[in-house]
């Protein structure tokens, strides 16, 4: 690539010789026993808990004082036995480690109800190496395995713990793809965290960094340093911004272009995560041993609340269409230090914050849709299931990503959430016009009574562009991303202000108005609020509304609301505007009626165009290769 520093001037030709099947040892490491996190920001109890007494730890070693107990019954410390029994042919796992000192080390199991049982144990004294074994034969509905270490009068140190299984006949090559756009520092840190873990990188053959920004990551010293360490394993690619879909697809495109990579694992990874390198090892190991090619995804932990999980597994409802619906029995926004994921949960899809896709699936069903942003990961998993490929969200494989609850939905990206959701529904559901009309119409009315006129416009524009047909997707979403941000700027409430400096108001002019409980008769309340907003029968003086209370049925009681942004970085000012609401309501009704009337034709048009949209030739055109 012209102009790139020597340290990162590599292309896919350099990795052709590495993306081949590898020989395997007699035992295959599928999980390491770690005792501390990759950052001081992370609670070490996510890896091992000092139940009683005292212990000191490093990443791979724990020293336990006398009269103490340590357990790895923790998020990263547990072995998810139920998932291994359900999805792989592995029938037993070994837990091995070296020790020095005196104590008792046990291998403990649980079931779907959380009841514990000891499956193997040994008393140790001196220095040595031990192996504990568990059959994977009583975990179909749930349960995991972990280590329990007890000391009496003497201390005990354990290190280099590993969970191993019988090796497959060969080990699949693996490539990590990191997509970035103007997050050069975050991307450099993520790649550095991955590249600095030699044990993980020994199982990774290539790292593709697809840079779509105007602030190149190659200019960062940290990135150049890790690039030099990775050598020809690193492939750095610059291309125009095609969104997350375009960045990740470029990595998939490059891997599947390599002769011999027809059985490769492709790990997609966001640039702005706090990376746990161990997660790559676990995803890759699991995918090497599934009985069929399987999408294997990591769970998302909160970057601001590192012990909390977004959701154990999720699926989409295409009648809405809606994403992010928790699967049955999945943990939702809960502490994974306090709660264990005992019950096995089946996923519909996995977000691409970190997710592994076998190249066989790419070969069978083609590349992702050129959606720019949102729903690309959802659609790809739905399509995969249609081809017989499941998705597994693997507990104990996680990365930290900015909490979704701190992202405000009233942003430009909502356009893609709506437009792309309609496309996925058209491709993979009955796409019933009247159902969509009711669902989207209800949302539009809520936006209008909540004085979110920019969000109402965003929804309307998304529907209009979708109804215009497949040509709207031809450029990969580049024009749409540019236009929606420019057009939303015309709506005052889309601008975020410092909480202490609100336009045209003094700080003493407004106070917090707390919301009442959620109404039981939503339809009746919505009709009532529409009338109130239309007539101006609302509280006229300004009020402050907390983010958690910024619900349509509460905000619509007022004519002037200063609403805390979900990011907690500032506030939005919503003011009643009857004429603007009328204009948007009329425009929105026209768009919704057109969608309802033309839904069958649009479904057929998009399905006809679909093979072209996901083809290698189409992406080659978009990449301008």
């Amino acid at each position: 690539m012209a102009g790139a520093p020597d340290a990162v001037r590599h292309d896919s030709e350099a990795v052709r010789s590495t993306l081949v099947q590898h020989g395997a040892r007699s035992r295959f490491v599928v999980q390491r026993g770690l005792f501390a996190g990759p950052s001081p920001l992370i609670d070490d109890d996510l890896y091992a808990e000092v139940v009683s007494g005292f212990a000191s730890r490093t990443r791979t070693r724990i020293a336990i004082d006398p009269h103490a107990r340590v357990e790895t019954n923790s998020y990263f410390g547990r072995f998810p036995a139920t998932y291994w029994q359900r999805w792989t042919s592995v029938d037993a796992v070994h837990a091995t480690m070296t020790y020095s000192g005196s104590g008792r080390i046990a291998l403990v199991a649980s079931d779907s109800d959380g009841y514990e049982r000891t499956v193997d144990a040994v008393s140790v004294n001196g220095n040595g190496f031990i192996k504990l074994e568990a059959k994977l034969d009583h975990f179909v509905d749930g349960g995991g395995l972990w280590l329990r270490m007890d000391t009496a009068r003497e201390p005990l140190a354990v290190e280099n713990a590993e969970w191993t299984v019988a090796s497959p006949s060969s080990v699949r090559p693996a490539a990590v793809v990191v997509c970035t756009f103007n997050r050069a520092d975050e991307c450099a840190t993520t790649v550095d965290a991955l590249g600095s873990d030699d044990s993980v990188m020994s199982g990774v053959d290539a790292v593709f960094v697809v840079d779509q920004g105007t602030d190149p990551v190659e200019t960062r010293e940290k990135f150049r340093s890790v690039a030099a360490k990775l050598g020809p394993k690193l492939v750095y690619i610059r291309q125009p911004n095609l969104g997350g879909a375009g960045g990740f697809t470029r990595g998939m495109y490059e891997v599947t272009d390599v002769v011999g990579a027809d059985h490769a694992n492709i790990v997609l990874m966001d640039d702005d995560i706090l990376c746990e390198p161990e997660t790559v090892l676990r995803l890759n190991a699991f995918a090497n041993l599934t009985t069929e090619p399987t999408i294997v995804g990591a769970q998302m932990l909160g970057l601001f609340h590192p012990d909390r999980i977004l959701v154990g597994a999720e699926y989409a409802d295409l009648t809405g269409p809606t994403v992010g619906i928790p699967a049955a029995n999945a943990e939702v926004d809960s502490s994974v230090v306090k709660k264990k994921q005992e019950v096995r949960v089946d996923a519909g899809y996995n977000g691409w914050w970190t997710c592994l896709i076998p190249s066989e699936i790419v070969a069978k069903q083609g590349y992702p849709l050129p959606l720019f942003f949102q729903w690309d990961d959802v659609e790809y998993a739905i399509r995969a299931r249609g081809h017989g490929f499941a998705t597994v969200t693997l507990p104990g494989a996680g990365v930290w990503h900015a909490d979704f609850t701190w992202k405000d939905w009233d942003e430009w990206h909502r356009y893609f959430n709506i437009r792309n959701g309609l496309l996925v529904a058209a491709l993979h559901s009955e796409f019933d016009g009247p159902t969509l009309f009711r669902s989207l119409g209800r949302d539009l009315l809520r936006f209008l009574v909540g004085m979110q006129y920019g969000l109402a416009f965003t929804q309307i524009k998304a529907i209009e562009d979708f109804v215009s047909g497949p040509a709207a997707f031809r450029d990969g979403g580049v024009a749409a991303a540019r236009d929606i941000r420019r057009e939303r700027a015309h709506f005052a409430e889309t601008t975020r202000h410092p909480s202490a400096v609100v336009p045209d108001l003094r700080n003493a002019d407004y106070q917090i108005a707390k919301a009442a409980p959620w109404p039981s008769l939503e339809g009746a309340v919505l009709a009532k609020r529409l009338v109130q907003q239309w007539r101006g029968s609302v509280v006229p003086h300004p009020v402050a509304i907390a983010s958690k209370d910024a619900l349509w049925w509460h905000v619509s009681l007022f004519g002037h609301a200063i609403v805390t942004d979900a990011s907690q970085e500032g506030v939005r000012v919503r003011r009643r505007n009857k004429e603007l609401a009328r204009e948007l309501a009329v425009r929105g009704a026209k768009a919704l009626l057109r969608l309802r009337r033309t839904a069958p034709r649009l479904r057929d048009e998009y399905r006809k165009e679909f093979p072209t949209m996901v083809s290698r030739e189409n992406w080659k055109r978009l990449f301008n290769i």
Side-chain angles (χ1 to χ4, degrees):
M1 186 191 68
D6 292 341
V8 295
R9 188 181 296 146
H10 303 122
D11 58 35
S12 57
E13 292 291 334
V15 301
R16 288 183 181 274
S17 62
T18 66
L19 289 176
V20 296
Q21 300 285 312
H22 303 298
R25 298 180 298 174
S26 60
R27 301 296 298 179
F28 188 47
V29 178
V30 298
Q31 182 170 315
R32 295 179 298 176
L34 303 176
F35 302 107
S39 164
L41 298 174
I42 303 306
D43 185 350
D44 289 339
D45 281 354
L46 285 167
Y47 294 80
E49 181 185 1
V50 181
V51 178
S52 62
F54 299 93
S56 59
R57 62 178 100 191
T58 63
R59 182 84 159 145
T60 59
R61 183 178 189 272
I62 190 161
I64 308 168
D65 285 359
H67 306 292
R69 168 174 284 186
V70 170
E71 292 191 354
T72 65
N73 186 19
S74 54
Y75 182 81
F76 287 105
R78 287 167 60 97
F79 179 81
T82 179
Y83 288 81
W84 280 88
Q85 183 174 352
R86 167 64 178 88
W87 298 104
T88 79
S89 57
V90 174
D91 59 7
V93 61
H94 294 173
T96 64
M97 67 213 76
T98 58
Y99 68 89
S100 61
S102 177
R104 180 177 182 270
I105 304 174
L107 188 57
V108 184
S110 63
D111 58 25
S112 59
D113 294 318
Y115 294 116
E116 299 178 6
R117 62 188 187 278
T118 300
V119 295
D120 200 359
V122 62
S123 294
V124 299
N125 187 32
N127 300 280
F129 172 86
I130 63 167
K131 176 188 75 176
L132 302 173
E133 181 177 0
K135 297 292 185 183
L136 298 179
D137 56 0
H138 290 91
F139 299 96
V140 173
D141 287 339
L145 291 160
W146 65 90
L147 297 172
R148 175 176 290 157
M149 296 165 280
D150 292 289
T151 57
R153 295 183 178 181
E154 302 295 329
L156 173 66
V158 169
E159 61 185 318
N160 300 322
E162 293 180 335
W163 299 80
T164 69
V165 302
S167 288
S169 57
S170 61
V171 176
R172 300 163 61 89
V176 175
V177 179
V178 181
C179 168
T180 186
F181 173 76
N182 286 350
R183 290 193 182 116
D185 293 328
E186 293 94 328
C187 181
T189 298
T190 296
V191 177
D192 180 65
L194 181 64
S196 298
D197 193 316
D198 294 338
S199 295
V200 172
M201 285 308 303
S202 66
V204 174
D205 300 281
V207 177
F208 291 85
V209 177
V210 183
D211 192 341
Q212 304 184 124
T214 55
D215 180 17
V217 67
E218 64 180 317
T219 63
R220 300 309 196 264
E221 183 57 37
K222 181 180 287 187
F223 182 73
R224 297 187 64 174
S225 177
V226 71
K229 180 177 182 179
L230 293 177
K233 279 190 176 184
L234 182 80
V235 182
Y236 180 69
I237 298 171
R238 295 285 304 279
Q239 69 178 28
N241 185 22
L242 294 168
F248 286 134
T249 302
R250 181 60 183 270
M252 297 163 70
Y253 181 99
E254 295 291 333
V255 173
T256 53
D257 189 40
V258 176
V259 176
D262 50 343
H263 297 286
N265 292 332
I266 307 170
V267 182
L268 310 179
M269 179 180 287
D270 271 348
D271 58 350
D272 59 342
I273 59 171
L274 197 166
C275 176
E276 171 50 88
E278 173 70 10
T279 289
V280 173
L281 184 152
R282 296 183 185 186
L283 296 181
N284 192 34
F286 191 83
N288 265 283
L289 291 157
T290 53
T291 56
E292 301 170 350
T294 303
I295 296 174
V296 187
Q299 294 180 323
M300 188 190 117
L301 304 171
L303 190 59
F304 305 135
H305 305 90
D307 70 320
R308 302 192 74 82
I309 191 172
L310 170 69
V311 58
E314 52 193 337
Y315 69 95
D317 178 3
L318 299 185
T319 60
T322 307
V323 293
I325 303 171
N329 297 315
E331 293 291 337
V332 181
D333 190 27
S334 61
S335 170
V336 289
V337 170
K338 297 178 180 178
K339 289 189 176 182
K340 316 304 177 188
Q341 298 180 78
E342 298 287 9
V343 178
R344 180 175 57 79
V345 177
D346 289 340
Y349 69 92
N350 200 97
W352 284 355
W353 40 76
T354 298
C355 185
L356 182 152
I357 300 175
S359 58
E360 294 94 329
I361 296 179
V362 181
K364 179 71 174 179
Q365 68 182 44
Y367 295 94
L369 281 165
L371 299 182
F372 193 86
F373 187 62
Q374 298 200 344
W375 280 91
D376 47 338
D377 45 10
V378 180
E379 189 281 328
Y380 206 77
I382 293 173
R383 196 190 334 162
R385 186 167 294 276
H387 284 90
F389 303 115
T391 294
V392 174
T393 297
L394 186 65
V399 295
W400 294 272
H401 188 284
D403 304 41
F404 281 1
T405 55
W406 283 36
K407 292 187 176 183
D408 204 292
W409 269 112
D410 191 356
E411 291 287 356
W412 64 272
H413 52 71
R414 189 65 179 266
Y415 167 91
F416 289 101
N417 177 268
I418 297 166
R419 188 199 69 166
N420 297 348
L422 287 170
L423 173 58
V424 177
L427 295 171
H428 299 292
S429 76
E430 295 182 1
F431 202 63
D432 180 66
T435 300
L436 290 167
F437 179 86
R438 289 191 297 271
S439 175
L440 294 169
R442 182 172 59 249
D443 288 343
L444 177 61
L445 293 177
R446 289 173 174 175
F447 298 154
L448 291 175
V449 300
M451 299 176 289
Q452 291 180 287
Y453 305 120
L455 186 53
F457 168 81
T458 302
Q459 184 208 49
I460 295 165
K461 187 71 166 62
I463 296 170
E464 291 173 342
D465 288 353
F466 171 78
V467 171
S468 69
F473 294 85
R474 181 166 174 76
D475 72 343
V478 175
R482 179 192 64 236
D483 293 346
I484 194 62
R485 279 181 272 199
R486 185 187 69 247
E487 292 167 329
R488 277 176 52 87
H490 298 302
F491 297 89
E493 82 284 351
T494 64
T495 299
R496 188 168 61 212
H497 305 279
S499 59
V501 187
V502 177
D504 303 320
L505 288 174
R506 300 167 301 178
N507 286 330
D509 289 340
Y510 57 95
Q511 291 182 310
I512 294 174
K514 184 173 176 57
W518 195 281
S520 57
L521 300 175
E522 292 185 44
V525 172
L526 179 57
K528 182 179 179 180
R529 295 291 189 270
L530 283 167
V531 172
Q532 290 174 316
Q533 279 281 318
W534 182 257
R535 292 179 174 176
S537 304
V538 294
V539 176
H541 60 77
V543 297
I545 297 178
S547 177
K548 66 178 182 179
D549 290 334
L551 306 159
W552 61 267
W553 47 266
H554 178 56
V555 178
S556 55
L557 292 171
F558 309 97
H560 190 178
I562 296 85
V563 180
T564 303
D565 191 82
S567 69
Q568 298 294 312
E569 295 178 359
V571 296
R572 313 277 190 103
V573 180
R574 303 189 201 175
R575 302 197 69 160
R576 176 176 172 269
N577 187 327
K578 181 178 178 179
E579 291 307 311
L580 181 56
R582 185 211 307 267
E583 176 186 330
L584 290 168
V586 171
R587 181 173 172 179
K590 290 180 179 178
L592 287 166
L593 286 169
R594 186 181 175 194
L595 173 63
R596 175 174 176 162
R597 184 178 66 254
T598 61
R601 175 177 61 79
L602 287 168
R603 179 189 59 207
D604 294 342
E605 286 182 4
Y606 278 109
R607 291 183 180 184
K608 181 179 179 180
E609 188 67 19
F610 178 64
T612 298
M613 296 172 75
V614 300
S615 68
R616 186 175 179 86
E617 292 73 22
N618 187 45
W619 277 107
K620 184 176 182 179
R621 176 186 62 82
L622 290 168
F623 296 145
N624 195 28
I625 297 177

